[in-house]
Amino acid sequence: EPEVTQTPSHQVTQMGQEVILRCVPISNHLYFYWYRQILGQKVEFLVSFYNNEISEKSEIFDDQFSVERPDGSNFTLKIRSTKLEDSAMYFCASSVDIISPLHFGNGTRLTVT
Amino acid sequence: DQQVKQNSPSLSVQEGRISILNCDYTNSMFDYFLWYKKYPAEGPTFLISISSIKDKNEDGRFTVFLNKSAKHLSLHIVPSQPGDSAVYFCAASAQAPGGTSYGKLTFGQGTILTVHP
């Protein structure tokens, strides 16, 4: 079964550094998402992306965050200047259309020191 | 954010019996509900969904019930198997402005299900 793949599985970075988390969504999917889960907290929505633009974003997704689909297969999340509180598991997801369930990747654990 | 709540942090069930996981929501704009299962070190895996025009949806051993007036949904697993042991998340969404997607999911905090052989 096709799956969403995320790299790296674990990223350690120093506060203030830029990080890019990478995702390859399922190939025929058109909607792309980033979610995150801080340890001990709920999975929370960050951003949705469709037709090469952000369709919706949460209050968490401030100017430090950006997303990009640089080519036909990758979908990236960039955090410009990481803070300690950005430490979390970041999940990429995709869906084939507007109503279909989201398929999630296995996540990237980001640790900011 | 308490819009979606799973009040039972854990549930323990004997193999072969029914598992019932519950979820409550407060936002009356939610009209699409999903259950996801999550194993450690993996992402959430979609199990079953239901839209607000229905009150029941069934897929094999999994049935989701929706009570809109009570703003409550439940997931029934019958019969439960040891491989069902995982964290179960309830999630809800409402169509985004402009009708672009149902992809903004609001998750509950999860219920750890343990099925004993």
Side-chain angles (χ1 to χ4, degrees), chain B:
Chain B
D1 177 0
Q2 293 295 307
Q3 295 188 78
V4 177
K5 281 200 287 191
Q6 294 174 255
N7 289 317
S8 299
S10 63
L11 175 68
S12 185
V13 168
Q14 204 68 31
E15 181 179 7
R17 301 286 192 121
I18 185 171
S19 296
I20 300 176
L21 298 115
N22 293 301
C23 178
D24 297 294
Y25 62 96
T26 56
N27 187 342
S28 56
M29 297 300 292
F30 288 148
D31 58 359
Y32 185 52
F33 305 90
L34 309 92
W35 284 94
Y36 281 84
K37 176 170 80 171
K38 186 181 179 306
Y39 294 117
E42 293 185 13
T45 301
F46 169 72
L47 272 177
I48 193 168
S49 63
I50 188 167
S51 80
S52 59
I53 61 172
K54 299 172 94 174
D55 53 20
K56 178 182 173 181
N57 190 26
E58 203 169 340
D59 183 2
R61 296 187 297 116
F62 302 92
T63 303
V64 55
F65 295 92
L66 175 63
N67 182 334
K68 287 185 289 294
S69 60
K71 294 193 176 67
H72 177 84
L73 64 155
S74 61
L75 174 69
H76 292 210
I77 307 173
V78 183
S80 302
Q81 298 172 354
D84 295 330
S85 298
V87 181
Y88 287 77
F89 292 100
C90 165
S93 71
Q95 193 169 58
T100 48
S101 173
Y102 276 99
K104 181 183 177 183
L105 300 178
T106 301
F107 280 85
Q109 55 269 64
T111 297
I112 302 170
L113 173 66
T114 305
V115 181
H116 298 283

